[in-house]
Amino acid sequence: MGSKSDPLLVVVSILEGRHFPKRPKHMLIVEAKFDGEQLATDPVDHTNQPEFATELAWEIDRKALHQHRLQRTPIKLQCFALDPVSSARETVGYIVLDLRSAQETKQAPKWYQLLSNKYTKFKSEIQISITLETDTKAPVDSFKAKGAPPRDGKVPASLPGLDPKDIVAVLNEEGGYHQIGPAEYCTDSFIMSVTIAFATQLEQLIPCTMKLPERQPEFFFYYSLLGNDVTNEPFNDLINPNFEPERASVRIRSSVEVLRVYLALQPKLQIHLCCGDQSLGSAEIPLSGLLKRGSAEVSQHPVTVEGAFILDPPNRAKQKLAPVPLELAPTVGVSVALQKEGVDCQTPPARDGATESEVESLQYDKDAKAHAKGARSSIPASLAQPVAASGVSETASAQRITVPATSHHFCFSIDLRSVHGLELGFPVNCILRYSYPFFGSAAPIMTNPPVEVRKNMEVFLPQSYCAFDFATLPHQLQDTFLRIPLLVELWHKDKMSKDLLLGIARIQLSNILSSDKTRFLGSNGEQCWRQTYSESVPVIAAQGSNNRIVDLSYTVTLEDYGLVKMREVFVSDSSQGLSATQQKPSSLPPAPGPSEIQTEPRETLEYKAALELEMWKEMQEDIFENQLKQKELAHMQALAEEWKKRDRERESLVKKKVAEYSILEGKLQKTLIDLEKREQQLASAESELQREKKELQSERERNLKELQDSIRRVKEDCVHQVELGRLKIRQLEEDKHRLLQQLTDAESKYKTLEKEFQQFKDQQSNKPEIRLQSEINLLTLEKVELERKLESATKSKLHYKQQWGRALKELARLKQREQESQMARLKKQQEELEQMRLRYLAAEEKDTVKTEQQELLDLRNELNRLRQQEQKQYQDSREIASGKMDGPRGSALEEGLDDYLTRLIEERDTLMRTGVYNHEDRIISELDRQIRELLAKNNASN
């Protein structure tokens, strides 16, 4: 597991696909988007199983990875079908990957199905794996131009058989040049040089949220020339960048045409402004304009591409940076020149007063190159500050004092973490301020910017951490911590009035001396000790009663690095005022011996020595005052220069902020206009919605009213239909009673006729021949009539069934039409009514069928009886056949009349049995008339 600062690579491997349709004229491409950056695979053939075999990687640190996992940031992959002819893209589908599934161990690839698949008949899938890899490349390499896929360059007709992929730059170490293209085409020698002359407005590239190194940062320009990393001399001032123009040159062996194709295929030259291992911005310089098609300028004089190119910050879209006006845009002056060897080179563009430090050619020795790269890419280590006592400063004329051998090197850090539990009735815009001269500086330490604190909330303080390095004796440190507490002042900062001191918190530093000690190793491997103490102390009101205002949480750390290794430190003359008076001058004469003769006090050597010492003291005081004045003047001049420099920096920052604020103001105005338009649109849309709502409400009421009317009409129609059904049932019952009455009358008539026929048969039985012949004829007629009746009954039964089936179909169709027109709530009543009618019809039909079956059974029995009688009479008639008087012609005529009569009777009975006709109908009356006429003729003939 790497450390938190190790960069990681999120690698998405897109291997292959399956279940895709074949589209010969299209290509497949997959685009992946993560963290605002979009990467894409190379186009592949649109086949059933496309093979992508591509890895897409994003660089990220562990902290950002943890944040993305908490936010569940997805990786979205979109698949497109690309038409190479028209460059049109069609969305095929997409896949969403979960970043939380990525691990640092190798995982087997999985098949993912495309969502929103365009090919609905195919279940297209892509095999993908997602892993995390540790990025171990050098920091400078991150600014190299990434290797882009080769572009489709056109080879001139003068270079037949030359593949653009073969045109690459190859270093010839022996000759000290780069060879571009095959050896047979490399006939000319060229020199390509890149010069960085000046830069302006570089401070625009520093965002307000970016933290630069605490020490004086160094900036430099970096670019890659034919695979060689080039940097210029670093500089410190972004507002007024002061560096000498530097030119880097390479020798090239090639030809004009091959070099033109090579420059057309290469990406633009990227020049980065760097701070340490971080890129602040980059500019792109196109190289294809050096050699134009059909131009021979390079053979006559050097060709150049030069100008001031705008530096763009990296990932402007990702950082959502506002566009910068052209007059405030950061620029870099670059000149790219190409010349044939032997042609004079023009002077590159430079600013006024700039001097040119030319580098004739790059050294191609591997060791030297590696050494140069290592020197540029390495991050400078922090230099250890010399340990000095408090109040000591170092100058060129400083003297040395000796630190006691028992002094220890201490590092004391304090972190004012947060304030909470505010007791005041108004919000406080607070800053904290403290000073402890024992740490070596009497300057106050303040938190910045002010933070607003309200009741019932905890606020963490910005820029509240400070560390002090000093040397002192352990017992002196303990004594100072016990005697002098650290006083932290709470100030309320108000823009409209002066700053107000609200309260003071007393931090007893001796508490840290009683905390537990932990051992750790210093930078040089020595054993060190660390003590840490955290506490919340109340902030007491500065004026009035000693009431608590707020609670302050802090953490203090004391680190003991052991004995001080440097025994002597530099101090200025100002710090030696006391020690100078204690030193004896080397020019003073020795004191006189006690054996010398006593003289006047003013003439004694002691008096003269004292007088000379006093005069020397006055002279030294004058010298010391003069030195102090000179130092004060020098310090004042340095402060004035620093103030001017800071003023210029503030002015440029103010201009930058004003430009940004003006852009934001324009955006806000535009947004306000858009919001007003949207508000108007919303108001109009709301009024339109209210109008449509009223219309819909009225339409709903109208539809409801129409629905109620239609329900009422349907109810009335249903009631009317029920009444009609009842009337029909009543009429059918009356027809039934009438038919039953007719049947009773017919039975009585039949009985009467039967009696008459019996009497007639008895009368005719007295004449044997006539009686027998008549009986034969009657029996034959009855037989035929009965057969006709049987046939007619069968036909009438079939006809009745057909009529009944048609009636049922017609009834079903009428029933369906009524059911469609009725409402749902009347359906149950209609079904009940229909079932009642069907039951009634079924019962009536059952009765009718039973009656007909009974009649048919009676007729069959009667027919069998008559057939037996006929057979018996037929045997008897054969015996008396010789006694007949009628001729065959008369008998045939009587049989024809009897058949016709029988047929008319059967037709009349069949029509009457249907129930459609009655005796008053015309056709029944006509049949009765014909039957009567035939009976009259038959009686007349007998």
Side-chain angles (χ1 to χ4, degrees):
M1 181 70 73
S3 63
K4 292 186 178 181
S5 60
D6 289 341
L8 295 175
L9 289 178
V10 180
V11 181
V12 176
S13 301
I14 305 173
L15 303 178
E16 59 178 343
R18 64 183 180 185
H19 307 319
F20 281 84
K22 284 187 178 180
R23 299 181 70 180
K25 296 183 179 180
H26 286 75
M27 308 287 284
L28 277 178
I29 186 172
V30 177
E31 290 186 355
K33 188 174 183 181
F34 171 65
D35 198 19
E37 296 184 13
Q38 184 169 307
L39 303 176
T41 63
D42 294 332
V44 298
D45 295 334
H46 200 313
T47 59
N48 290 336
Q49 294 181 347
E51 295 185 0
F52 298 97
T54 304
E55 286 188 349
L56 307 178
W58 293 268
E59 185 176 351
I60 193 172
D61 56 11
R62 293 186 181 273
K63 184 176 181 182
L65 175 65
H66 180 67
Q67 190 69 21
H68 284 299
R69 282 180 169 175
L70 289 178
Q71 296 176 357
R72 299 185 178 182
T73 305
I75 301 177
K76 186 174 182 181
L77 281 72
Q78 282 189 301
C79 184
F80 297 96
L82 179 64
D83 187 359
V85 179
S86 61
S87 300
R89 296 201 310 179
E90 302 175 6
T91 303
V92 177
Y94 68 92
I95 296 172
V96 178
L97 300 179
D98 191 357
L99 184 60
R100 295 175 295 173
S101 63
Q103 303 294 333
E104 293 191 38
T105 57
K106 194 69 175 180
Q107 294 180 344
K110 297 181 181 179
W111 289 97
Y112 293 86
Q113 187 173 352
L114 286 178
L115 304 177
S116 300
N117 192 358
K118 177 184 178 182
Y119 310 122
T120 54
K121 297 182 180 179
F122 298 85
K123 293 184 179 180
S124 305
E125 295 178 342
I126 298 178
Q127 192 179 30
I128 301 171
S129 69
I130 176 172
T131 56
L132 294 176
E133 296 181 2
T134 303
D135 189 10
T136 58
K137 64 183 180 178
V140 179
D141 293 341
S142 61
F143 303 127
K144 287 186 178 180
K146 301 295 186 294
R151 306 179 186 177
D152 296 334
K154 295 183 179 180
V155 179
S158 60
L159 304 174
L162 184 60
D163 190 0
K165 296 180 181 180
D166 297 335
I167 305 178
V168 293
V170 180
L171 175 62
N172 189 332
E173 296 184 3
E174 296 179 357
Y177 59 84
H178 283 81
Q179 178 178 319
I180 298 178
E184 58 269 18
Y185 293 103
C186 298
T187 58
D188 301 326
S189 296
F190 300 88
I191 295 178
M192 177 182 284
S193 60
V194 178
T195 305
I196 299 180
F198 62 90
T200 60
Q201 304 291 341
L202 297 183
E203 70 276 2
Q204 300 292 337
L205 295 173
I206 307 296
C208 300
T209 58
M210 181 178 179
K211 290 185 179 180
L212 294 175
E214 295 181 359
R215 296 182 178 275
Q216 192 171 15
E218 290 187 347
F219 305 94
F220 59 92
F221 287 99
Y222 160 84
Y223 58 93
S224 179
L225 183 60
L226 295 184
N228 300 282
D229 298 337
V230 183
T231 60
N232 71 335
E233 289 297 325
F235 55 94
N236 305 109
D237 192 2
L238 282 181
I239 298 177
N240 296 310
N242 186 14
F243 59 89
E244 293 185 359
E246 295 185 6
R247 183 173 68 188
S249 305
V250 292
R251 294 179 61 224
I252 300 174
R253 187 74 176 173
S254 182
S255 64
V256 176
E257 294 296 332
V258 174
L259 193 57
R260 180 183 296 115
V261 176
Y262 175 77
L263 293 178
L265 292 174
Q266 294 304 307
K268 298 178 180 180
L269 177 65
Q270 288 189 344
I271 297 180
H272 295 265
L273 174 64
C274 306
C275 177
D277 60 347
Q278 198 171 15
S279 175
L280 304 179
S282 61
E284 294 184 347
I285 294 91
L287 301 178
S288 58
L290 288 172
L291 296 177
K292 299 180 181 179
R293 185 179 298 275
S295 176
E297 294 181 2
V298 70
S299 301
Q300 302 171 2
H301 57 82
V303 291
T304 60
V305 173
E306 58 185 10
F309 299 92
I310 296 177
L311 289 164
D312 293 323
N315 300 329
R316 174 179 288 275
K318 177 181 175 181
Q319 299 178 7
K320 299 180 180 179
L321 299 177
V324 181
L326 291 178
E327 60 272 9
L328 297 178
T331 58
V332 56
V334 181
S335 172
V336 181
L338 179 67
Q339 64 173 346
K340 273 190 175 183
E341 283 192 346
V343 181
D344 294 335
C345 181
Q346 295 178 351
T347 304
R351 297 165 67 178
D352 297 338
T355 62
E356 180 178 347
S357 174
E358 177 181 352
V359 181
E360 290 297 332
S361 63
L362 292 174
Q363 302 296 326
Y364 294 103
D365 183 76
K366 293 184 177 179
D367 297 335
K369 188 167 100 173
H371 176 72
K373 285 187 179 180
R376 285 298 180 202
S377 62
S378 62
I379 300 174
S382 299
L383 299 177
Q385 296 180 357
V387 179
S390 61
V392 178
S393 61
E394 181 181 347
T395 63
S397 62
Q399 301 180 10
R400 297 180 178 179
I401 64 172
T402 302
V403 178
T406 57
S407 296
H408 283 229
H409 176 197
F410 291 99
C411 177
F412 185 86
S413 62
I414 179 170
D415 185 9
L416 305 178
R417 301 180 62 83
S418 63
V419 291
H420 54 88
L422 183 66
E423 296 293 337
L424 298 178
F426 58 91
V428 176
N429 200 23
C430 78
I431 60 173
L432 296 181
R433 179 179 181 273
Y434 63 91
S435 175
Y436 206 77
F438 178 75
F439 293 148
S441 174
I445 309 298
M446 294 183 292
T447 61
N448 191 41
V451 293
E452 185 177 3
V453 183
R454 297 179 180 269
K455 276 191 174 182
N456 302 322
M457 67 180 294
E458 182 178 5
V459 179
F460 291 90
L461 299 169
Q463 300 184 13
S464 60
Y465 178 83
C466 188
F468 304 92
D469 283 287
F470 57 93
T472 186
L473 299 175
H475 66 86
Q476 186 179 1
L477 175 72
Q478 184 176 1
D479 181 61
T480 306
F481 280 5
L482 288 172
R483 289 187 300 103
I484 305 174
L486 176 64
L487 302 180
V488 181
E489 300 174 351
L490 175 66
W491 290 80
H492 173 62
K493 198 170 185 64
D494 193 353
K495 296 181 180 180
M496 307 302 295
S497 61
K498 292 184 178 180
D499 297 345
L500 176 63
L501 176 61
L502 297 179
I504 299 175
R506 299 173 63 88
I507 297 178
Q508 193 65 35
L509 300 181
S510 59
N511 293 331
I512 195 173
L513 300 176
S514 60
S515 61
D516 296 335
K517 291 185 177 182
T518 58
R519 182 184 303 174
F520 69 97
L521 295 179
S523 58
N524 297 326
E526 68 274 9
Q527 182 176 337
C528 306
W529 297 91
R530 178 185 291 118
Q531 292 175 279
T532 303
Y533 182 76
S534 298
E535 189 188 12
S536 292
V537 295
V539 178
I540 306 302
Q543 298 177 358
S545 60
N546 295 330
N547 294 329
R548 186 183 68 86
I549 298 177
V550 73
D551 290 333
L552 170 65
S553 297
Y554 70 93
T555 300
V556 290
T557 303
L558 178 64
E559 295 178 351
D560 185 0
Y561 292 96
L563 296 174
V564 178
K565 295 180 181 180
M566 184 184 296
R567 302 305 177 193
E568 294 179 346
V569 295
F570 290 95
V571 293
S572 63
D573 293 339
S574 60
S575 64
Q576 302 174 13
L578 180 62
S579 61
T581 60
Q582 297 175 356
Q583 295 177 357
K584 294 183 178 181
S586 59
S587 60
L588 292 179
S595 61
E596 293 183 2
I597 301 172
Q598 295 292 332
T599 59
E600 292 294 331
R602 295 180 180 272
E603 298 297 332
T604 59
L605 294 176
E606 290 82 356
Y607 183 82
K608 292 180 179 180
L611 181 60
E612 192 173 343
L613 178 60
E614 291 297 329
M615 293 176 64
W616 179 83
K617 282 183 181 180
E618 292 180 1
M619 182 180 64
Q620 291 297 326
E621 287 178 0
D622 295 337
I623 294 173
F624 181 66
E625 288 178 359
N626 293 332
Q627 289 179 354
L628 283 179
K629 290 180 181 179
Q630 292 176 1
K631 288 183 180 181
E632 183 181 5
L633 182 60
H635 287 314
M636 291 300 294
Q637 290 178 355
L639 287 174
E641 292 177 358
E642 185 67 22
W643 174 262
K644 290 180 181 178
K645 181 180 178 181
R646 298 281 181 87
D647 195 24
R648 289 196 298 270
E649 292 178 358
R650 284 194 295 269
E651 186 177 357
S652 63
L653 290 176
V654 166
K655 288 182 180 178
K656 178 182 176 182
K657 290 292 184 182
V658 168
E660 292 178 357
Y661 290 157
S662 61
I663 294 171
L664 290 176
E665 184 180 4
K667 286 186 177 180
L668 286 175
Q669 290 179 355
K670 184 179 179 182
T671 306
L672 286 175
I673 294 173
D674 294 340
L675 286 176
E676 290 178 357
K677 291 182 180 178
R678 287 187 61 187
E679 188 175 0
Q680 294 176 358
Q681 292 176 358
L682 286 175
S684 61
E686 187 176 0
S687 61
E688 183 69 18
L689 183 62
Q690 292 292 337
R691 185 182 60 79
E692 292 182 357
K693 184 178 179 181
K694 291 181 181 179
E695 291 180 357
L696 289 175
Q697 186 70 21
S698 60
E699 185 177 358
R700 177 177 174 276
E701 293 176 356
R702 184 172 63 254
N703 292 336
L704 186 62
K705 186 176 181 181
E706 291 178 356
L707 183 62
Q708 291 175 354
D709 295 339
S710 63
I711 291 173
R712 181 177 52 78
R713 287 196 299 270
V714 170
K715 283 184 179 180
E716 292 176 356
D717 292 341
C718 290
V719 172
H720 181 64
Q721 292 292 336
V722 170
E723 291 295 331
L724 289 178
R726 289 175 181 174
L727 290 176
K728 287 183 180 180
I729 291 171
R730 194 178 298 114
Q731 185 177 2
L732 288 174
E733 289 178 353
E734 292 176 358
D735 293 341
K736 176 184 175 183
H737 291 306
R738 183 171 54 78
L739 290 174
L740 289 175
Q741 186 64 33
Q742 290 179 0
L743 181 61
T744 305
D745 297 339
E747 288 178 353
S748 62
K749 288 181 181 180
Y750 174 73
K751 291 179 180 179
T752 303
L753 290 174
E754 189 176 0
K755 290 179 180 180
E756 292 177 357
F757 177 73
Q758 189 67 29
Q759 292 176 1
F760 178 75
K761 191 165 88 171
D762 293 339
Q763 292 176 1
Q764 292 295 329
S765 63
N766 296 325
K767 296 179 179 180
E769 297 87 0
I770 297 174
R771 187 175 63 249
L772 291 175
Q773 185 65 34
S774 62
E775 288 179 359
I776 291 171
N777 292 333
L778 289 173
L779 289 174
T780 304
L781 182 62
E782 288 178 359
K783 172 187 173 183
V784 172
E785 186 176 358
L786 289 174
E787 289 178 352
R788 294 289 184 184
K789 285 182 178 181
L790 180 60
E791 185 178 1
S792 64
T794 305
K795 290 181 179 180
S796 63
K797 179 180 178 182
L798 293 174
H799 181 69
Y800 177 78
K801 285 185 177 180
Q802 293 176 357
Q803 292 292 333
W804 182 247
R806 284 196 295 269
L808 286 177
K809 290 180 181 179
E810 184 67 22
L811 186 61
R813 188 164 58 251
L814 292 175
K815 173 185 173 184
Q816 183 177 4
R817 191 178 303 158
E818 289 178 2
Q819 287 178 347
E820 291 177 355
S821 62
Q822 290 178 355
M823 298 300 294
R825 68 179 71 176
L826 298 178
K827 185 176 181 181
K828 187 174 180 180
Q829 297 179 2
Q830 182 182 4
E831 289 178 354
E832 292 177 357
L833 179 61
E834 189 67 25
Q835 289 176 1
M836 291 174 60
R837 186 172 64 178
L838 288 176
R839 281 199 298 270
Y840 175 76
L841 292 175
E844 183 181 0
E845 181 183 1
K846 187 175 180 181
D847 296 339
T848 306
V849 171
K850 286 182 178 179
T851 305
E852 289 180 353
Q853 288 180 354
Q854 187 65 32
E855 289 179 356
L856 289 175
L857 185 61
D858 296 340
L859 289 174
R860 189 179 293 111
N861 294 333
E862 183 68 21
L863 186 62
N864 291 334
R865 185 179 60 79
L866 290 176
R867 188 178 292 114
Q868 292 175 0
Q869 291 179 2
E870 183 182 2
Q871 289 178 358
K872 186 183 291 186
Q873 290 178 3
Y874 180 70
Q875 291 177 359
D876 295 337
S877 64
R878 289 181 64 181
E879 296 176 356
I880 58 174
S882 58
K884 287 185 178 180
M885 297 303 294
D886 296 333
R889 179 178 299 224
S891 177
L893 182 61
E894 290 179 0
E895 290 179 359
L897 291 174
D898 293 338
D899 293 338
Y900 183 60
L901 179 62
T902 302
R903 185 165 57 80
L904 289 177
I905 293 172
E906 290 176 354
E907 291 179 357
R908 184 193 63 183
D909 294 340
T910 301
L911 293 175
M912 290 296 292
R913 277 196 295 272
T914 59
V916 180
Y917 302 98
N918 52 24
H919 291 284
E920 286 78 13
D921 291 333
R922 181 178 179 183
I923 186 170
I924 301 300
S925 301
E926 184 66 22
L927 290 174
D928 289 340
R929 185 182 62 78
Q930 293 181 5
I931 290 171
R932 285 195 299 272
E933 289 179 356
L934 289 175
L935 288 175
K937 288 182 181 180
N938 194 6
N939 292 330
S941 62
N942 291 331

